Amino acid sequence: MDLDVAGRCVLLVGDGDVLAPQALSLLSAGAELTVAAPQVPASIEDLADRGRLTWTTAQWTVSDVRAADLVVASDADEALRSCCAAERVWLSTPRTGSVRRPRTTRGSVTLVGGGPGDPGLLTVAGLDALRAADVVVCDRLAPLAALDGLDAEVVDVAKVPRGRSTSQEAINALLVERARAGQHVVRLKGGDGYVFGRAGEEAIACAEAGIDVRVVPGLSSAVAGPALAGVPLTHRGVSQGFSVVSGHVPPGHPASTVDYGALARSGTTIVLLMAVATLPAILDALEGGGLAPGTPAATIADAGLPSQRVVRSTVRDLARVVAEAGLGAPAITVVGDVVAVDPLRAGAQPDEVPWPAVTTELDGVERAG
């Protein structure tokens, strides 16, 4: 989206999976977005539930147009054009693609890690794969704004926590089916697909079906999220390593394979993914395993997106601070003395940062200390 929409009220009208790339592009540009569509992809519904946009389930109305500074509609009908003209509201009708490429006789699948959400953090190889795709199968944490205007069909297979979800088996089958039809399929997901992204399962399913598979690694949110929040996972004299674990199940759960006692005594920075709901139990287990309750800790929500938020506290108090701040998934938690090392604060030393610190906004005026 090339228009300057920062701080502007934008009404997005349309249907289909093209809505998600358009919405993310507008949000990334700073728009205050309302989507008017009876049905939307799961990614749009998730953004609405997280308060990043407003979704009205009815068709657009004159009041919707009147309240907007700009209306965006790829397929604007005459009624919408006339309404925008009557209300003196700008109407943008972006192209969603150009001439379709010829289908190849042999399809393939490319598994692309898209990074933590900012399309600027997508690799060059990943962007090249998207530009060559016939169909893009994506989830809610992928950099969907990168799809805006590309010549490819977009299939949303978002897995929304406690919401709309597509099974992994169905995703595997979709990749194989489309590739067997001669299409070049790109599976686009957030972060790196081989770091808790289940790309390995997708690669196996395609290989077993005789489908050519290529992997384009992505920037894992486990590393990128802390960096964007000013937290180095290693720092000379502070930490010599880091451990990344999934917190999708709590300590003691039959499905948990993490030894939190050993983790607490490891001396490494601890990075927790998918651990919003289980954070209190995990921090209790780390403290019970010997980690000092005053150890610095931080949670980064929506890493790499305009809505990114960061809270900093201690192992003893972080779960409470996160709950009070209303942070939700997706979020990354970092535990260790490196949280007190903020290279973005010129001249700061680890022992100069007070704990517990206040809730902070990455782009706001409040910062720790």
Side-chain angles (χ1 to χ4, degrees):
M1 182 61 62
D2 296 327
L3 299 174
D4 182 6
V5 296
R8 301 289 187 179
C9 296
V10 178
L11 175 66
L12 177 59
V13 178
D15 57 23
D17 290 311
V18 70
L19 282 176
Q22 289 177 334
L24 265 293
S25 181
L26 288 164
L27 289 174
S28 296
E32 297 179 7
L33 185 61
T34 296
V35 176
Q39 295 183 331
V40 295
S43 299
I44 295 290
E45 186 174 346
D46 175 58
L47 290 168
D49 289 342
R50 290 157 54 196
R52 294 198 57 208
L53 56 79
T54 299
W55 171 35
T56 172
T57 58
Q59 294 283 3
W60 65 270
T61 66
V62 174
S63 297
D64 293 330
V65 173
R66 187 176 297 140
D69 297 308
L70 171 71
V71 175
V72 178
S74 298
D75 297 310
D77 57 20
E78 187 57 37
L80 181 57
R81 293 177 183 275
S82 298
C83 183
C84 289
E87 298 298 330
R88 297 180 178 274
V89 175
W90 286 100
L91 172 65
S92 174
T93 55
R95 298 177 65 188
T96 58
S98 55
V99 178
R100 285 281 179 181
R101 289 169 298 279
R103 298 286 186 245
T104 60
T105 56
R106 182 178 178 84
S108 64
V109 172
T110 303
L111 305 175
V112 176
D118 181 347
L121 299 177
L122 177 67
T123 66
V124 174
L127 183 57
D128 286 344
L130 290 174
R131 288 171 174 167
D134 295 308
V135 57
V136 179
V137 180
C138 59
D139 62 35
R140 70 185 185 103
L141 300 182
L144 300 179
L147 304 180
D148 192 14
L150 289 185
D151 178 25
E153 177 187 357
V154 179
V155 179
D156 189 315
V157 292
K159 296 181 178 181
V160 181
R162 296 170 295 280
R164 290 164 61 181
S165 183
T166 306
S167 71
Q168 187 61 53
E169 292 73 18
I171 295 173
N172 295 348
L174 176 64
L175 299 178
V176 170
E177 175 189 354
R178 291 304 190 94
R180 280 178 169 167
Q183 294 181 311
H184 175 51
V185 185
V186 169
R187 173 68 169 112
L188 178 66
K189 55 183 66 186
D192 182 277
Y194 277 11
V195 181
F196 303 126
R198 304 185 74 171
E201 298 175 43
E202 294 165 353
I204 291 172
C206 292
E208 290 180 343
I211 303 298
D212 292 336
V213 184
R214 184 167 72 101
V215 177
V216 177
L219 181 58
S220 173
S221 61
V223 176
L228 291 169
V231 178
L233 295 184
T234 62
H235 192 77
R236 186 161 59 94
V238 179
S239 175
Q240 298 179 6
F242 61 93
S243 303
V244 182
V245 299
S246 169
H248 70 288
V249 293
H253 190 281
S256 176
T257 61
V258 179
D259 184 338
Y260 284 97
L263 194 62
R265 299 185 296 272
S266 68
T268 64
T269 302
I270 301 168
V271 182
L272 305 172
L273 303 183
M274 299 177 284
V276 173
T278 59
L279 188 59
I282 290 175
L283 294 178
D284 284 347
L286 290 174
E287 187 176 341
L291 195 64
T295 301
T299 294
I300 307 107
D302 285 354
L305 299 175
S307 55
Q308 175 172 314
R309 296 182 64 196
V310 184
V311 298
R312 301 167 183 256
S313 187
T314 63
V315 167
R316 175 66 57 84
D317 295 324
L318 182 64
R320 173 183 57 80
V321 174
V322 167
E324 290 175 351
L327 267 58
I332 303 148
T333 292
V334 184
V335 179
D337 290 336
V338 291
V339 175
V341 181
D342 190 344
L344 301 181
R345 298 178 60 211
Q349 297 298 320
D351 57 359
E352 295 175 348
V353 182
W355 300 101
V358 296
T359 298
T360 66
E361 299 281 349
L362 183 65
D363 297 319
V365 297
E366 290 185 322
R367 296 287 296 180

